């Protein structure tokens, strides 16, 4: 909720108060948060947030604003003033002293210096843009765009990246020249130049041999302190999907609060999608004050325009809809903060692809002579035309296994499967670099050479799955729903604990969450420990074929999208008339992604002919 914004101008242009007020206005549009600002001759900073989430300092030509609820060297008082002193001495290294979710700005008006940074997990965001008049920044693109000198030209490469990732990953944004900070990163403006750097990176200790009993004790203590701090100072509830993460947080919230925690679940009256029974098991087990809502196709159609209008850039994660209704349900119940279980899968080895990729990687361990001289010629040559089940599976396995990581994880990427040339208008395709998303992922994956595969995948997921997608989804949903959100699994202490776990503690063979589940055996119900991950998946493809109102909204959106010369008209026709009927769940994802692209473009004021 809310946020931080401001600018540093190259020269005194006046009108700082008015400019800051205009930039801050979009930050308070959903909750009417009070706006506080400090200004100087060449710029200033404003924060729209509740009193316990903002700290400001302005003295001696130094302006500092901290948004969030961080601690500074263990103390939460006089944050901005103390950070100002640290920054003047230590520069960007001062950011490492902040612990917890935050966005920070430090500005020396007279010297023309600026520092921007966000927390280690990317819970908060920070957009920035250098223009000839100086530097503009804000935690939301809408606030940055409210500055009179902001550049608002769309970036075709970012639109392509959206179609690839279903979000626009940092450091790019949907606008040319506008960038976004990555977790643990800062940007400095000095002597007219911008430079970025990392004040923190996760450091794995793969050879750790701490006994299980000691690790379990550390984990439970860290979890309890994280939940206690996340819940402090608010009427707090929890998302409850019935998975291991949300159930664990519901139980710990009951423990630290000493009362029945309010929990919130969304259900779907569609076979294969409804997980409500697991949420009920967890709620009964921990004595939660449980609340449920079954979302319909009509609810989805109502939420789509609101979500698109509130998004900083195109966003294609459909589970933002159930998360929004969950947050809205909590707000009407008087809850002011929700705990989200995001981060548990990434930190403790809970994603199914970790096990899948471990199985595929075993092929690389076979002698090259066996692979290249015997197996591959046999399966793809002599028996290549035989369509027997086992041979077909073996060929599929090898076809995936020979693709190097991390590209191997994208073999099921929708844009790959359809083929960019089949999806994209020729003129648009000529303007982008098709290799850029894969190169970006590869750079991230291989920055930790020598680490186990599971930890390299964790590093990748902390950035792309979590910071660029899931956290954006939950924060957007909660902002629209009118509640705050906190992520106890992403406390700095929990990040450090995860880094101390051995690779086997995260993935033992193909057993996901090996340490996590052992540590919580006897705490979580057995049925929840055994269940597979599901979450708030949306039966969009199923509903699209049955609900006339949703179908009308989608087809109208795709009709308008055809005019933009981004997506080929024949692909949209083939997708909606043929592919969707063949596999609603699979192809419905691309329908959603394209619909949300058009919805965002229309809400952002981009003419349909452009």
């Amino acid at each position: 909720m809310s946020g931080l914004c401001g600018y540093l101008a190259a020269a005194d242009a006046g009108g700082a108060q008015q400019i800051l007020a205009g930039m801050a206005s979009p930050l308070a549009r959903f909750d009417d948060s009070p706006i506080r600002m400090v200004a100087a001759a060449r710029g200033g900073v404003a924060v729209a947030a509740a009193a316990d989430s903002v700290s400001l300092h302005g003295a001696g030509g130094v302006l500092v604003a901290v948004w969030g609820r961080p601690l500074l060297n263990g103390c939460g008082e006089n944050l901005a003033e103390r950070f100002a002193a640290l920054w003047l001495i230590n520069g960007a290294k001062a950011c490492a002293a902040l612990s917890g979710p935050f966005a920070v700005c430090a500005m020396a008006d007279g010297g023309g210096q600026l520092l921007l940074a966000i927390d280690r997990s990317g819970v908060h965001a920070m957009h920035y843009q250098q223009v000839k008049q100086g530097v503009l920044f804000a935690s939301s693109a809408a606030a940055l765009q409210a500055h009179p000198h902001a550049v608002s030209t769309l970036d075709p490469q970012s639109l392509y990246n959206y179609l690839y990732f279903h979000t626009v990953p940092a450091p790019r944004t949907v606008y040319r020249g506008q960038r976004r900070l990555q977790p643990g990163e800062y940007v400095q403006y000095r002597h007219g130049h911008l430079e970025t750097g990392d004040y923190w990176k996760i450091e794995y200790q793969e050879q750790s041999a701490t006994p299980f009993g000691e690790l379990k004790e550390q984990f439970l203590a860290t979890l309890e302190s994280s939940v206690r701090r996340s819940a402090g100072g608010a009427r707090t509830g929890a998302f409850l999907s019935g998975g291991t993460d949300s159930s664990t947080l519901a139980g710990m919230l009951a423990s630290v609060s000493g009362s029945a925690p309010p929990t919130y679940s969304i259900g779907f009256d569609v076979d294969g999608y409804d997980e409500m029974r697991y949420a009920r098991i967890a709620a009964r087990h921990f004595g939660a004050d449980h609340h449920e809502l079954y979302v319909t196709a009509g609810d989805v159609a109502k939420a789509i325009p609101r979500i698109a209008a509130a998004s900083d850039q195109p966003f294609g994660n459909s589970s933002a809809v159930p998360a929004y209704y969950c947050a809205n349900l909590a707000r009407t119940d008087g809850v002011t903060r929700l705990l989200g279980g995001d981060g548990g899968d990434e930190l403790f080895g809970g994603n199914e692809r970790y096990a899948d990729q471990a199985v595929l990687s075993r092929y690389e361990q076979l002698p090259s002579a066996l692979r290249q001289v015997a197996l591959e010629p046999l399966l793809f040559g002599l028996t290549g035309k035989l369509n027997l089940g086992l041979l077909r599976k073996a060929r599929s396995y090898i076809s995936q296994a020979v693709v190097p990581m991390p590209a191997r994880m994208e073999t099921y990427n929708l844009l790959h499967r359809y083929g960019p040339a089949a999806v994209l208008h020729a003129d648009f395709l000529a303007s982008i670099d098709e290799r850029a998303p894969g190169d970006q992922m590869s750079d991230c994956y291989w920055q930790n050479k020598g680490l186990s595969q599971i930890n390299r995948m964790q590093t990748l997921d902390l950035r792309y799955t979590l910071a660029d997608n899931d956290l954006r989804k939950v924060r957007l949903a909660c902002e629209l729903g009118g509640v705050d959100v906190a992520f106890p699994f992403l406390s700095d202490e929990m990040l450090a604990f995860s880094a101390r776990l051995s690779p086997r503690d995260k993935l033992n063979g193909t057993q996901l969450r090996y340490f996590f589940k052992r540590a919580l055996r006897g705490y979580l119900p057995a049925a929840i420990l055994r269940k597979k991950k599901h979450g708030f998946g949306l039966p969009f493809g199923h509903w699209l074929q049955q609900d006339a109102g949703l179908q009308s909204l989608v087809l109208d959106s795709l009709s308008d999208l055809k005019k933009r010369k981004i997506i080929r008209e024949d692909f949209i026709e083939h997708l909606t008339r043929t592919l969707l009927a063949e596999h609603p769940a699979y192809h419905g994802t691309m329908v959603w992604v394209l619909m949300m692209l058009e919805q965002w473009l229309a809400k952002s004021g981009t003419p349909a002919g452009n």
Side-chain angles (χ1 to χ4, degrees):
M1 297 171 69
S2 306
L4 177 156
C5 64
Y7 69 98
L8 176 64
D12 182 2
Q17 295 282 344
Q18 183 178 356
I19 292 174
L20 290 172
M23 295 180 73
S25 179
L27 299 175
R29 58 183 166 165
F30 296 114
D31 58 5
D32 295 322
S33 292
I35 297 172
R36 301 169 178 84
M37 61 181 73
V38 286
R42 293 170 55 185
V45 60
V47 183
D52 64 346
S53 297
V54 55
S55 180
L56 292 174
H57 168 75
V62 174
L63 312 181
V64 171
V66 183
W67 171 49
R69 296 186 302 275
L71 298 176
L72 180 55
N73 291 333
C75 177
E77 297 180 0
N78 302 315
L79 266 176
E81 183 178 350
R82 293 179 62 211
F83 186 84
L86 280 177
W87 176 55
L88 292 175
I89 297 171
N90 300 317
K93 294 180 181 179
C95 299
L98 289 167
S99 173
F102 70 86
V104 63
C105 161
M107 182 186 305
D109 178 64
Q113 295 186 52
L114 175 70
L115 170 73
L116 305 170
I118 60 170
D119 58 85
R120 291 160 173 78
S121 296
V123 172
H124 289 300
M126 182 64 73
H127 302 244
Y128 62 95
Q129 186 176 71
Q130 185 173 11
V131 294
K132 65 180 181 179
Q133 295 88 355
V135 181
L136 323 176
F137 57 90
S139 53
S140 93
L144 192 151
Q145 295 302 115
H147 191 283
H149 295 142
V151 177
S152 57
T153 305
L154 294 180
D155 179 12
Q157 184 66 50
S158 293
L159 294 178
Y160 179 82
N161 292 356
Y162 164 75
L163 295 169
Y164 189 96
F165 293 109
H166 306 170
T167 185
V168 181
R172 300 185 88 101
T173 74
V174 74
Y175 298 107
R176 286 189 192 272
Q178 187 183 125
R179 290 293 182 263
R180 200 171 81 244
L181 286 177
Q182 299 176 73
E185 189 178 50
Y186 67 85
V187 60
Q188 288 190 115
Y189 178 75
R190 297 184 296 185
H191 311 300
H193 298 286
L194 282 175
E195 59 183 27
T196 59
D198 298 308
Y199 70 85
W200 176 87
K201 281 188 176 181
I202 192 166
E203 296 183 2
Y204 299 99
Q205 302 169 36
E206 297 201 331
Q207 305 306 315
S208 175
T210 307
F212 170 75
E214 187 176 337
L215 274 179
K216 177 180 177 179
E217 184 177 337
Q218 293 174 6
F219 169 64
L220 293 176
T222 302
L223 180 60
E224 180 179 352
S225 65
S226 296
V227 170
R228 188 181 302 279
R229 182 178 166 196
S230 295
R235 172 164 162 71
T236 304
F239 287 101
L240 183 57
S241 68
T244 53
D245 294 325
S246 65
S247 299
T248 300
L249 293 184
M252 194 58 71
L253 182 59
S255 177
V256 302
S257 67
S259 60
T263 55
Y264 301 89
S265 297
I266 296 298
F268 310 106
D269 192 15
V270 178
D271 289 342
Y273 286 89
D274 188 43
E275 294 283 287
M276 193 69 82
R277 74 183 187 94
Y278 290 104
R280 290 167 182 164
I281 289 172
R284 285 195 300 270
H285 184 76
F286 293 115
D289 177 18
H290 191 53
H291 305 263
E292 301 175 353
L293 177 69
Y294 273 79
V295 169
T296 67
D299 294 326
V300 174
K302 291 177 184 177
I304 285 169
R306 290 204 70 197
I307 290 172
S311 300
D312 276 329
Q313 49 195 14
F315 188 68
N317 188 331
S318 65
S319 58
V321 174
Y324 159 64
Y325 280 109
C326 222
N328 195 54
L329 184 63
R331 180 185 57 79
T332 59
D333 196 39
V335 166
T336 58
R337 184 177 301 153
L338 282 171
L339 302 186
D342 302 85
D345 281 329
E346 290 74 21
L347 295 186
F348 297 101
N351 288 322
E352 290 286 346
R353 60 181 168 274
Y354 297 156
D356 295 341
Q357 295 304 326
V359 171
L360 290 168
S361 292
R362 291 173 183 170
Y363 184 70
E364 301 172 348
Q365 299 167 14
L366 296 175
S368 59
L370 176 61
R371 288 185 278 122
Q372 298 171 12
V373 177
L375 288 176
E376 292 170 22
L378 176 65
L379 287 169
F380 294 96
L382 296 176
T383 64
K385 294 183 179 180
L386 296 178
N387 197 30
L388 300 177
L390 286 177
L391 290 175
R392 190 168 59 249
K393 289 183 178 179
R395 286 194 291 268
S396 175
Y397 171 81
I398 292 176
S399 295
Q400 293 180 70
V402 296
V403 178
M405 288 289 282
R408 193 166 69 212
M409 293 190 293
E410 297 301 307
T411 54
Y412 287 96
N413 183 288
L414 282 170
L415 196 56
H416 272 323
R417 283 301 178 106
Y418 298 130
V423 175
L424 299 170
H425 192 278
D427 291 342
F428 178 83
L429 188 60
S431 70
I432 57 91
D433 179 1
E434 294 180 45
R435 300 185 304 272
D439 290 345
Q440 186 175 332
M441 291 182 66
S442 185
D443 288 344
C444 180
Y445 182 82
W446 291 110
Q447 71 182 5
N448 289 312
K449 289 184 179 179
L451 286 181
S452 61
Q453 179 171 284
I454 181 66
N455 279 338
R456 278 178 282 159
M457 290 180 71
Q458 178 180 327
T459 300
L460 201 66
D461 276 347
L462 286 173
R463 177 173 164 185
Y464 289 96
T465 304
L466 197 63
D468 283 321
N469 198 323
D470 288 343
L471 295 186
R472 302 279 76 77
K473 170 197 73 180
V474 180
R475 288 194 62 83
L476 172 65
C478 287
E479 184 175 26
L480 275 172
V483 297
D484 193 9
V485 62
F487 305 99
F489 283 118
L490 295 177
S491 69
D492 293 355
E493 295 78 12
M494 195 65 81
L495 287 171
F497 177 83
S498 169
R500 295 197 300 271
L501 291 176
S502 71
R504 182 176 177 273
D505 283 327
K506 297 172 184 177
L507 182 66
N508 183 18
T510 58
Q511 295 180 67
L512 301 169
R513 294 177 171 271
Y514 185 62
F515 165 78
F516 188 93
K517 290 187 174 182
R518 288 178 69 203
L520 293 173
R521 194 172 295 153
Y523 181 80
L524 288 177
I528 288 175
L529 285 171
R530 290 193 301 265
K531 79 178 286 288
K532 289 189 175 182
K533 178 178 173 60
H534 188 277
F536 286 151
L538 192 72
F540 173 70
H542 172 86
W543 279 336
L544 186 56
Q545 294 186 304
Q546 298 186 348
D547 187 87
L550 183 59
Q551 190 176 90
S552 177
L553 173 66
V554 170
L555 293 180
D556 286 348
S557 296
L558 296 186
S559 178
D560 289 340
L561 183 60
K562 292 176 183 178
K563 303 171 187 175
R564 297 186 185 276
K565 305 300 182 184
I566 298 173
I567 308 298
R568 291 172 57 115
E569 292 186 35
D570 58 345
F571 173 76
I572 292 177
E573 289 295 315
H574 183 53
L575 177 65
T576 54
R577 294 177 183 270
T578 304
L579 297 178
L580 186 63
E582 293 176 356
H583 199 319
Y586 182 79
H587 298 292
T589 299
M590 180 55 84
V591 175
W592 179 276
V593 167
L594 296 182
M595 173 198 64
M596 292 306 291
L597 173 60
E598 173 55 35
Q599 284 283 321
W600 184 84
L601 289 168
K603 298 297 181 183
S604 66
T606 305
N610 291 1

